[in-house]
Amino acid sequence: MTADLKKCTSPCIKSLRETLYGPFREWLTKITGIPLNDTIDMNGSRYTDRDVLLCHDDALEGRRIAYILYLVPPWTAADGGTLDLFKVDENRQPTVVGRSLMPSWNTLAFFEVGPVSFHQVSEILSSDKVRISINGWFHGPDIERPEASDTALSPLQTSLTLDVDVLFDWVNPNYLDLLMQVQIREKFEEDSEIELEHFLKEEKYQEVIAALQSTKTSWLSRGPANRRLRLHLVHFILSPMLVMIELLLVRLAVIGHLHTIVAVLTVC
């Protein structure tokens, strides 16, 4: 994401900004009935291969309408990067995607921001296309936003007992080094995220892939889309290999990004 474009001096950006927050804002006010003010809230976004933006509602003080102006090359559904709008349940929690909007060159999408305006950007699946957009919000009088209900949250799994020796059978020994663990902890505390490459031993990684690709593998989605979302392995059809995977992931305090497929397991 770029810095705030409110003060950008580029002639093109300046002209677009004056159009969006001038005549277009006045038109939006007429058709929506929302008294939008002259607050400028505008930036640029760039998504490349495997980038994703998880489910959220944009609900910050003053935001009333969100907009996205797409500046993408020819785009298809196979490229991913859709704007997904969620349905909600009786607790105002997002459930499933109700509608997906595919990016298209010189297309402007906008929607009202409110207590149930949950949306996401799906994963970019193209290695050679870039999803570029100008996006932002039109501001107006703040509205009442009920506190989110926790009744829809499914409980997390409690800790399980696993012999520590199992870690040495599965995990890359570099990550079991005490000095390395200190460095990992410090980086995680600083950045709130971390990526650990080649986390599993190669032979175990190959066994994991084989188990996940089995036709007997089944998954259930648990938790609202915006909080505690995870994929849960159905226990009654689990192979011994997948049982061990789940036990291992619960045992570890910090799980790295184990290529793409194993990253899915980190949310179990």
Side-chain angles (χ1 to χ4, degrees):
M1 181 178 291
T2 67
D4 192 344
L5 298 179
K6 179 169 59 177
K7 296 182 180 180
C8 180
T9 58
S10 164
C12 291
I13 297 297
K14 182 179 179 181
S15 178
L16 175 63
R17 184 176 63 226
E18 291 175 347
T19 300
L20 287 175
Y21 289 91
F24 183 73
R25 176 176 59 84
E26 294 175 1
W27 176 78
L28 267 184
T29 296
K30 290 180 181 179
I31 67 169
T32 64
I34 300 174
L36 304 174
N37 60 41
D38 58 1
T39 300
I40 297 175
D41 195 349
M42 177 180 179
N43 51 59
S45 296
R46 181 178 185 271
Y47 292 79
T48 58
D49 189 25
R50 304 303 170 184
D51 284 345
V52 65
L53 182 62
L54 298 178
C55 179
H56 60 289
D57 61 9
D58 274 2
L60 292 179
E61 183 177 357
R63 290 179 177 178
R64 295 301 306 273
I65 296 178
Y67 70 88
I68 312 98
L69 174 62
Y70 293 110
L71 305 173
V72 296
W75 205 269
T76 68
D79 297 320
T82 54
L83 172 63
D84 297 333
L85 307 176
F86 282 83
K87 296 181 179 180
V88 297
D89 61 17
E90 64 276 8
N91 297 307
R92 300 187 302 277
Q93 295 297 305
T95 54
V96 297
V97 174
R99 186 177 181 184
S100 293
L101 305 178
M102 188 170 66
S104 179
W105 168 259
N106 198 27
T107 297
L108 181 72
F110 60 90
F111 57 89
E112 184 176 1
V113 176
V116 295
S117 57
F118 294 103
H119 59 285
Q120 69 180 15
V121 176
S122 66
E123 184 177 3
I124 304 297
L125 302 177
S126 173
S127 60
D128 59 354
K129 294 182 182 179
V130 180
R131 183 187 188 275
I132 295 177
S133 65
I134 300 292
N135 37 263
W137 298 268
F138 294 97
H139 288 238
D142 203 21
I143 61 176
E144 182 180 354
R145 305 183 189 277
E147 292 188 9
S149 171
D150 286 339
T151 57
L153 294 178
S154 57
L156 297 175
Q157 187 170 2
T158 57
S159 59
L160 300 175
T161 300
L162 184 66
D163 192 336
V164 69
D165 290 339
V166 174
L167 297 180
F168 292 91
D169 293 335
W170 282 74
V171 177
N172 185 331
N174 290 334
Y175 293 123
L176 299 178
D177 178 78
L178 292 180
L179 180 59
M180 174 65 74
Q181 292 178 27
V182 171
Q183 295 173 350
I184 290 172
R185 182 171 62 251
E186 291 176 348
K187 180 172 177 54
F188 185 76
E189 290 175 349
E190 180 179 351
D191 299 339
S192 298
E193 62 179 351
I194 196 165
E195 180 175 322
L196 305 180
E197 297 183 352
H198 306 293
F199 183 73
L200 295 182
K201 291 182 176 180
E202 181 61 27
E203 64 273 17
K204 293 297 185 182
Y205 173 74
Q206 295 302 330
E207 292 179 27
V208 170
I209 295 301
L212 290 174
Q213 292 175 341
S214 167
T215 56
K216 297 180 180 180
T217 302
S218 182
W219 303 82
L220 290 177
S221 179
R222 296 286 181 85
N226 62 325
R227 292 187 294 168
R228 293 189 186 177
L229 177 64
R230 60 201 186 277
L231 296 178
H232 182 75
L233 289 167
V234 180
H235 286 279
F236 68 90
I237 61 172
L238 286 184
S239 67
M241 170 61 67
L242 292 180
V243 171
M244 181 58 70
I245 293 171
E246 193 167 34
L247 287 172
L248 178 68
L249 293 177
V250 172
R251 176 68 174 82
L252 293 171
V254 178
I255 306 298
H257 176 64
L258 319 178
H259 302 279
T260 301
I261 190 66
V262 183
V264 176
L265 277 173
T266 65
V267 295
C268 292

Coordinates of all heavy atoms in Angstrom, one line a residue, residues 174-175 179-199 252-259 262-263 266:
N174 N 17.8 -26.9 12.5 CA 18.2 -25.4 12.6 C 17.2 -24.7 13.5 O 17.6 -23.8 14.2 CB 18.2 -24.8 11.2 CG 19.3 -25.3 10.4 OD1 20.4 -25.8 10.9 ND2 19.2 -25.2 9.0
Y175 N 15.9 -25.0 13.5 CA 14.9 -24.3 14.2 C 14.8 -24.8 15.7 O 14.1 -24.2 16.5 CB 13.6 -24.4 13.6 CG 13.5 -23.7 12.3 CD1 13.2 -24.3 11.1 CD2 13.8 -22.3 12.2 CE1 13.1 -23.7 9.9 CE2 13.8 -21.7 11.0 CZ 13.4 -22.3 9.8 OH 13.4 -21.7 8.6
L179 N 19.8 -20.7 20.2 CA 20.1 -19.3 19.7 C 19.1 -18.9 18.6 O 18.6 -17.8 18.5 CB 21.5 -19.2 19.2 CG 21.9 -17.9 18.7 CD1 21.8 -16.8 19.7 CD2 23.4 -17.9 18.2
M180 N 18.8 -19.9 17.7 CA 17.9 -19.6 16.6 C 16.5 -19.3 17.2 O 15.7 -18.4 16.7 CB 17.8 -20.8 15.7 CG 16.7 -20.7 14.6 SD 17.0 -19.3 13.4 CE 18.4 -20.0 12.5
Q181 N 16.1 -20.0 18.2 CA 14.8 -19.8 18.8 C 14.6 -18.4 19.4 O 13.6 -17.8 19.4 CB 14.5 -20.9 19.9 CG 14.3 -22.3 19.3 CD 14.1 -23.4 20.3 OE1 13.6 -23.1 21.4 NE2 14.5 -24.6 20.0
V182 N 15.7 -18.0 20.0 CA 15.7 -16.6 20.5 C 15.5 -15.6 19.4 O 14.8 -14.6 19.5 CB 17.1 -16.3 21.3 CG1 17.2 -14.9 21.7 CG2 17.1 -17.2 22.6
Q183 N 16.2 -15.8 18.3 CA 16.1 -14.9 17.2 C 14.7 -14.9 16.6 O 14.2 -13.9 16.2 CB 17.2 -15.3 16.1 CG 18.6 -15.1 16.6 CD 19.6 -15.6 15.5 OE1 19.2 -16.3 14.6 NE2 20.9 -15.3 15.8
I184 N 14.1 -16.1 16.5 CA 12.8 -16.2 16.0 C 11.8 -15.5 16.9 O 10.9 -14.7 16.5 CB 12.4 -17.7 15.9 CG1 13.2 -18.4 14.8 CG2 10.9 -17.8 15.7 CD1 13.0 -19.9 14.7
R185 N 11.9 -15.7 18.2 CA 11.0 -15.0 19.2 C 11.2 -13.5 19.1 O 10.2 -12.8 19.1 CB 11.4 -15.5 20.6 CG 10.4 -14.8 21.6 CD 10.6 -15.5 23.0 NE 11.9 -15.3 23.6 CZ 12.8 -16.2 23.7 NH1 12.5 -17.5 23.3 NH2 14.0 -16.0 24.2
E186 N 12.4 -13.0 19.0 CA 12.6 -11.5 18.9 C 12.0 -10.9 17.6 O 11.4 -9.9 17.7 CB 14.1 -11.2 19.0 CG 14.7 -11.5 20.3 CD 16.2 -11.3 20.3 OE1 16.8 -11.1 19.2 OE2 16.8 -11.2 21.4
K187 N 12.2 -11.7 16.5 CA 11.6 -11.2 15.2 C 10.1 -11.2 15.3 O 9.4 -10.3 14.8 CB 12.1 -12.0 14.1 CG 11.6 -11.5 12.7 CD 12.2 -12.3 11.6 CE 11.6 -11.9 10.2 NZ 11.6 -10.4 10.0
F188 N 9.5 -12.3 15.9 CA 8.1 -12.4 16.0 C 7.5 -11.3 16.8 O 6.5 -10.7 16.5 CB 7.7 -13.7 16.5 CG 6.2 -14.0 16.5 CD1 5.5 -14.2 15.3 CD2 5.5 -13.9 17.7 CE1 4.1 -14.5 15.3 CE2 4.1 -14.1 17.7 CZ 3.4 -14.4 16.5
E189 N 8.2 -11.0 18.0 CA 7.7 -9.9 18.9 C 7.8 -8.6 18.2 O 6.9 -7.7 18.4 CB 8.6 -9.9 20.1 CG 8.3 -11.1 21.0 CD 9.2 -11.2 22.2 OE1 10.2 -10.4 22.2 OE2 9.0 -12.0 23.1
E190 N 8.8 -8.4 17.3 CA 8.9 -7.1 16.6 C 8.0 -6.9 15.5 O 7.4 -5.8 15.3 CB 10.4 -6.9 16.1 CG 10.6 -5.6 15.4 CD 12.1 -5.5 14.9 OE1 12.9 -6.4 15.3 OE2 12.4 -4.6 14.2
D191 N 7.8 -8.0 14.7 CA 7.0 -7.8 13.4 C 5.6 -8.4 13.5 O 4.8 -8.2 12.6 CB 7.7 -8.6 12.3 CG 9.1 -8.0 12.0 OD1 9.3 -6.8 12.4 OD2 9.9 -8.7 11.4
S192 N 5.3 -9.2 14.6 CA 4.0 -9.8 14.8 C 3.7 -10.9 13.7 O 2.6 -11.3 13.5 CB 2.8 -8.8 14.8 OG 3.0 -7.9 15.9
E193 N 4.7 -11.3 13.0 CA 4.6 -12.3 12.0 C 6.0 -12.9 11.6 O 7.0 -12.2 11.9 CB 4.0 -11.8 10.7 CG 4.8 -10.7 10.0 CD 4.2 -10.2 8.7 OE1 3.2 -10.8 8.2 OE2 4.7 -9.2 8.1
I194 N 6.0 -14.1 11.1 CA 7.3 -14.7 10.8 C 7.1 -15.8 9.8 O 6.0 -16.4 9.7 CB 8.0 -15.2 12.0 CG1 9.5 -15.5 11.8 CG2 7.3 -16.5 12.5 CD1 10.3 -15.7 13.0
E195 N 8.1 -16.0 8.9 CA 8.0 -17.0 7.9 C 9.3 -17.9 8.1 O 10.4 -17.4 8.0 CB 8.0 -16.4 6.5 CG 8.0 -17.5 5.4 CD 7.8 -16.8 4.0 OE1 7.0 -15.9 3.9 OE2 8.4 -17.3 3.1
L196 N 9.1 -19.2 8.4 CA 10.2 -20.1 8.6 C 10.2 -21.1 7.4 O 9.4 -22.0 7.3 CB 10.0 -20.9 9.9 CG 9.8 -20.0 11.2 CD1 9.6 -20.9 12.4 CD2 11.0 -19.1 11.4
E197 N 11.2 -20.9 6.5 CA 11.3 -21.7 5.4 C 11.9 -23.1 5.7 O 12.7 -23.2 6.6 CB 12.2 -21.0 4.3 CG 11.7 -19.7 3.8 CD 12.5 -19.1 2.8 OE1 13.7 -19.6 2.5 OE2 12.1 -18.1 2.1
H198 N 11.5 -24.1 4.9 CA 11.9 -25.5 5.1 C 11.8 -25.9 6.6 O 12.8 -26.4 7.1 CB 13.4 -25.6 4.6 CG 13.6 -25.1 3.2 ND1 13.1 -25.7 2.1 CD2 14.3 -24.0 2.7 CE1 13.4 -25.0 1.0 NE2 14.1 -24.0 1.4
F199 N 10.7 -25.7 7.1 CA 10.4 -25.9 8.5 C 10.5 -27.4 8.9 O 11.1 -27.8 9.9 CB 9.1 -25.3 8.9 CG 8.8 -25.4 10.4 CD1 9.4 -24.6 11.3 CD2 7.8 -26.3 10.9 CE1 9.2 -24.7 12.7 CE2 7.5 -26.4 12.2 CZ 8.2 -25.6 13.1
L252 N 3.6 -27.0 19.0 CA 4.5 -26.0 18.7 C 3.9 -24.6 19.1 O 2.8 -24.3 18.8 CB 4.9 -26.0 17.3 CG 5.7 -27.2 16.9 CD1 5.9 -27.2 15.3 CD2 7.1 -27.2 17.5
A253 N 4.8 -23.7 19.7 CA 4.3 -22.4 20.0 C 4.3 -21.5 18.8 O 3.5 -20.6 18.7 CB 5.2 -21.8 21.1
V254 N 5.3 -21.6 17.9 CA 5.4 -20.8 16.7 C 5.5 -21.7 15.5 O 6.4 -22.6 15.5 CB 6.6 -19.9 16.8 CG1 6.7 -19.1 15.5 CG2 6.6 -19.0 18.0
I255 N 4.6 -21.6 14.6 CA 4.6 -22.4 13.4 C 5.0 -21.5 12.2 O 4.4 -20.4 12.0 CB 3.2 -23.0 13.1 CG1 2.7 -23.8 14.4 CG2 3.2 -24.0 11.9 CD1 3.6 -24.9 14.8
G256 N 5.9 -22.0 11.4 CA 6.3 -21.2 10.2 C 5.5 -21.5 9.0 O 4.6 -22.4 9.0
H257 N 5.8 -20.9 7.9 CA 5.2 -21.0 6.6 C 5.9 -22.2 5.9 O 7.0 -22.1 5.4 CB 5.3 -19.8 5.8 CG 4.8 -19.9 4.4 ND1 3.5 -20.1 4.2 CD2 5.4 -19.8 3.2 CE1 3.3 -20.1 2.9 NE2 4.4 -20.0 2.3
L258 N 5.2 -23.4 5.9 CA 5.8 -24.6 5.4 C 5.4 -24.8 3.9 O 4.5 -25.5 3.6 CB 5.4 -25.8 6.2 CG 5.4 -25.6 7.7 CD1 4.9 -26.9 8.4 CD2 6.8 -25.2 8.2
H259 N 6.0 -24.0 3.0 CA 5.5 -23.9 1.7 C 4.1 -23.5 1.7 O 3.6 -22.9 2.7 CB 5.7 -25.3 1.0 CG 7.2 -25.7 1.0 ND1 8.1 -25.3 0.1 CD2 7.8 -26.6 1.8 CE1 9.3 -25.8 0.3 NE2 9.1 -26.6 1.4
V262 N 1.3 -26.5 3.6 CA 1.4 -26.7 5.0 C 1.0 -25.4 5.8 O 0.6 -25.5 6.9 CB 2.8 -27.2 5.5 CG1 2.9 -27.4 6.9 CG2 3.1 -28.4 4.7
A263 N 1.1 -24.2 5.2 CA 0.6 -23.0 5.8 C -0.8 -23.1 6.1 O -1.3 -22.5 7.1 CB 0.9 -21.8 4.9
T266 N -1.4 -24.4 9.6 CA -1.1 -23.6 10.8 C -2.3 -23.0 11.4 O -2.2 -22.5 12.5 CB 0.0 -22.5 10.4 OG1 -0.6 -21.6 9.5 CG2 1.2 -23.1 9.8

